[in-house]
């Protein structure tokens, strides 16, 4: 049985991936500092799968503790989600993001190399495309130019570090998964997106509006060159995304491979509002406000490479994501 360490495994995408790994027969351990997640997620994973994974509350910046985990772990592979991800905060506190995301990943790689663990799936982001983001980004779209925030720059820097590690270590296998806008929750309603602090992404804000924690959703601009004037993004159900990580893990090969994970279909902000209103049966209050700096009109994934080489295809819809999110809201 392959043993996998999942960093950031109590977070939104990490926890869903842990569920898929366990259900697929992997031996899974989680490492997380709980900076943006809750320990109760372990109970929910156990309810869904019947297995409570071993948990290490360790920060990647704590190299001695991280080394101790690896020396005893006997891991075959690592899936690396751990990292700070709030775009606005990264602009305000860039050093925090560079230290946590980049230095933390360097510590992880040192421990992997020291313990002869050479298989890694990395949670990257479409933000690496920066100013080259377009209606349909492919893996051939240039990266690193015009990235508008330190969070995106850390993802780009980590990708470059991983490529260099592969070049220096021919047996090292890395897959970089660039994904776009994960949404939804597990169909059980037991795990979903529940960030600590002020949410940055659209769906957690919609959830807070529906709970009455925020009076209305701010829609940033309605004068973009799109069919309804609001920004269009590629929203992928988190369960589809989690399954993509399993496919990437199975297909790991020496060197650095890159795949986009998305649906290839764009949905506008107002379409998201309508979908949530339709699923919940009540109107979601919103207000049009000024544009945010740096928001591009349309960003979608060309996921044809992942489809051809990994067998990946997003199967769940926006409506599925809304209904699953409502189950999660109802449970909490």
């Amino acid at each position: 049985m392959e043993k996998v360490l999942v960093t950031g495994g109590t977070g939104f995408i990490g926890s869903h991936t842990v569920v898929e790994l366990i259900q697929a027969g992997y031996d899974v351990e989680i490492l997380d500092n709980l900076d943006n997640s809750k320990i109760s997620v372990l109970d929910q994973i156990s309810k869904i799968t019947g297995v409570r994974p071993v948990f290490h509350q360790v920060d990647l910046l704590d190299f001695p503790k991280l080394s101790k985990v690896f020396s005893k772990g006997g891991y075959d592979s690592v899936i690396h989600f751990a990292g700070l991800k709030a775009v606005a905060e990264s602009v305000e506190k860039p050093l925090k993001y560079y230290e946590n995301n980049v230095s933390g990943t360097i510590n992880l790689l040192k421990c992997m190399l020291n313990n002869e663990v050479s298989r890694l799936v990395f949670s990257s982001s479409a933000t690496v495309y920066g100013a080259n983001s377009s209606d349909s980004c492919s893996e051939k779209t240039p990266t690193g130019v015009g990235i508008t925030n330190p969070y995106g720059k850390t993802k780009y820097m980590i990708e470059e570090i991983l490529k260099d590690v592969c070049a220096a270590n021919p047996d090292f296998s890395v897959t970089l998964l660039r994904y776009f806008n994960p949404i939804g929750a597990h169909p059980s309603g037991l795990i979903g997106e529940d960030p600590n602090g002020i949410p940055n992404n659209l769906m957690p804000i919609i959830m807070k509006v529906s709970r009455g924690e925020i009076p209305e959703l701010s829609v940033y601009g309605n004068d973009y060159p799109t069919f309804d004037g609001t920004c269009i993004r590629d929203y992928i159900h988190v369960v589809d995304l989690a399954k993509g990580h399993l496919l990437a893990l199975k297909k790991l090969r020496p060197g650095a491979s890159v795949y986009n994970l998305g649906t290839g279909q764009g949905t506008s902000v107002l379409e998201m509002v309508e979908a949530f209103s339709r699923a919940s049966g009540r109107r979601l209050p919103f207000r049009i406000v000024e544009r945010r700096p740096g928001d591009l009109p349309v960003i979608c994934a060309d996921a044809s490479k992942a489809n051809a080489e990994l067998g990946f295809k997003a199967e769940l819809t926006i409506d599925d994501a809304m209904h699953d999110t409502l189950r999660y809201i109802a449970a909490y």
Side-chain angles (χ1 to χ4, degrees):
M1 182 187 297
E2 184 172 349
K3 189 172 186 180
V4 183
L5 178 69
V6 180
T7 75
T10 52
F12 176 42
I13 305 169
S15 60
H16 286 82
T17 302
V18 167
V19 166
E20 296 298 326
L21 286 166
I22 292 171
Q23 292 179 334
Y26 289 88
D27 180 7
V28 183
E29 293 190 6
I30 295 173
L31 185 144
D32 203 304
N33 65 2
L34 300 179
D35 182 74
N36 196 35
S37 60
K38 297 176 176 65
I39 192 70
S40 58
V41 169
L42 295 174
D43 296 328
Q44 309 302 70
I45 290 172
S46 179
K47 289 177 184 177
I48 295 169
T49 66
V51 175
R52 187 182 179 89
V54 172
F55 176 71
H56 306 277
Q57 187 172 347
V58 174
D59 194 303
L60 291 179
L61 294 176
D62 191 337
F63 188 73
K65 285 187 178 178
L66 186 62
S67 297
K68 192 173 292 186
V69 170
F70 268 87
S71 66
K72 297 177 180 178
Y75 305 116
D76 299 295
S77 307
V78 175
I79 302 181
H80 179 29
F81 294 102
L84 298 173
K85 64 174 187 175
V87 170
E89 184 189 46
S90 78
V91 175
E92 297 169 4
K93 302 175 181 178
L95 291 181
K96 178 181 178 181
Y97 273 69
Y98 289 120
E99 180 180 37
N100 187 88
N101 294 5
V102 180
S103 297
T105 300
I106 290 171
N107 282 348
L108 176 65
L109 290 167
K110 286 179 180 177
C111 288
M112 290 179 67
L113 291 168
N114 289 345
N115 292 273
E116 298 182 345
V117 183
S118 60
R119 292 164 48 83
L120 174 68
V121 175
F122 174 57
S123 165
S124 191
S125 167
T127 57
V128 301
Y129 295 120
N132 293 305
S133 297
S134 65
D135 292 14
S136 185
C137 293
S138 78
E139 293 82 356
K140 294 180 180 179
T141 302
T143 60
V145 178
I147 300 174
T148 57
N149 57 80
Y151 161 71
K153 290 175 183 175
T154 66
K155 291 293 187 182
Y156 171 71
M157 289 176 182
I158 292 168
E159 284 198 4
E160 294 301 298
I161 290 168
L162 292 172
K163 291 173 187 176
D164 289 340
V165 169
C166 287
N169 301 271
D171 293 333
F172 209 81
S173 303
V174 173
T175 291
L176 313 172
L177 296 180
R178 297 172 182 161
Y179 34 85
F180 288 65
N181 298 79
I183 59 170
H186 193 269
S188 66
L190 291 171
I191 55 175
E193 189 167 13
D194 188 20
N196 296 336
I198 300 171
N200 187 68
N201 298 331
L202 177 61
M203 274 307 299
I205 297 173
I206 287 176
M207 291 165 66
K208 284 186 175 294
V209 173
S210 76
R211 289 169 173 156
E213 297 171 22
I214 299 175
E216 61 188 4
L217 171 71
S218 294
V219 176
Y220 295 100
N222 66 344
D223 57 350
Y224 286 94
T226 60
F227 75 95
D228 65 8
T230 63
C231 291
I232 291 174
R233 295 293 181 265
D234 188 336
Y235 296 96
I236 180 172
H237 197 297
V238 65
V239 172
D240 279 333
L241 189 59
K243 291 177 178 177
H245 288 76
L246 268 68
L247 293 171
L249 187 65
K250 291 175 183 176
K251 294 289 181 72
L252 272 171
R253 58 185 185 272
S257 303
V258 183
Y259 297 99
N260 287 338
L261 295 185
T263 67
Q265 301 295 318
T267 304
S268 75
V269 176
L270 290 182
E271 283 181 315
M272 291 287 284
V273 169
E274 173 59 30
F276 191 88
S277 299
R278 186 167 60 245
S280 64
R282 61 182 187 276
R283 180 183 173 276
L284 187 82
F286 68 90
R287 179 167 59 96
I288 305 295
V289 298
E290 289 186 6
R291 291 185 181 192
R292 289 184 303 191
D295 276 349
L296 296 172
V298 182
I299 306 174
C300 289
D302 176 352
S304 56
K305 183 183 176 187
N307 177 246
E309 296 185 11
L310 300 181
F312 170 80
K313 185 172 177 57
E315 296 178 342
L316 298 169
T317 66
I318 296 292
D319 286 336
D320 292 327
M322 295 303 176
H323 285 292
D324 292 337
T325 297
L326 285 164
R327 288 190 196 96
Y328 179 67
I329 291 172
Y332 295 91

